Amino acid sequence: MVLGGISQFFPISLQSVIIGCYVIIFGLATALLEFQIPPYVSRYASFLFSFLGRGIFYIFVGSILLHDSILRVIAGSIVGIIGVAFVVLEYIPSIEPPQNMRDADAGWGAEQV
């Protein structure tokens, strides 16, 4: 995702720089979630802790990258295909989410008031 975001900057225009920054931020946030889960993420971005939510997010980011140069099309296709794989995994009952997806998932309404 980060590589695709960097490729968004060229040719330089305001729109491509803004979209490139968003894709880079999304890529870094996704990488961070693989290693460490900040406490506020499970509250405000709980969709990232299910295969379906993460898959739709990857498909969204992949679709942002799909245009103009071959590097963007390759990066967007890879991210989109990974997103489709996550969506498919949601509907296979024998596959459980990995530990980093289960740790932060306390369920809807689990916040202490």
Side-chain angles (χ1 to χ4, degrees):
M1 278 191 229
V2 175
L3 179 62
I6 292 171
S7 74
Q8 277 298 118
F9 287 112
F10 305 105
I12 295 179
S13 70
L14 181 62
Q15 180 182 4
S16 64
V17 169
I18 291 171
I19 292 174
C21 288
Y22 273 113
V23 172
I24 290 171
I25 290 169
F26 289 156
L28 293 175
T30 304
L32 176 69
L33 287 176
E34 293 298 325
F35 301 108
Q36 177 182 355
I37 301 171
Y40 56 85
V41 172
S42 61
R43 183 175 187 154
Y44 296 111
S46 61
F47 63 91
L48 291 173
F49 297 103
S50 72
F51 285 132
L52 183 61
R54 193 173 282 198
I56 291 172
F57 177 72
Y58 276 40
I59 292 169
F60 169 71
V61 174
S63 67
I64 289 174
L65 294 172
L66 285 175
H67 67 89
D68 290 341
S69 75
I70 189 70
L71 181 61
R72 292 183 201 149
V73 170
I74 291 171
S77 298
I78 290 171
V79 173
I81 289 169
I82 292 171
V84 169
F86 272 124
V87 170
V88 169
L89 287 175
E90 176 72 25
Y91 297 104
I92 300 175
S94 62
I95 297 179
E96 291 188 23
Q99 189 66 33
N100 65 343
M101 288 175 119
R102 284 181 279 167
D103 285 344
D105 187 24
W108 289 97
E111 302 88 73
Q112 296 294 324
V113 182

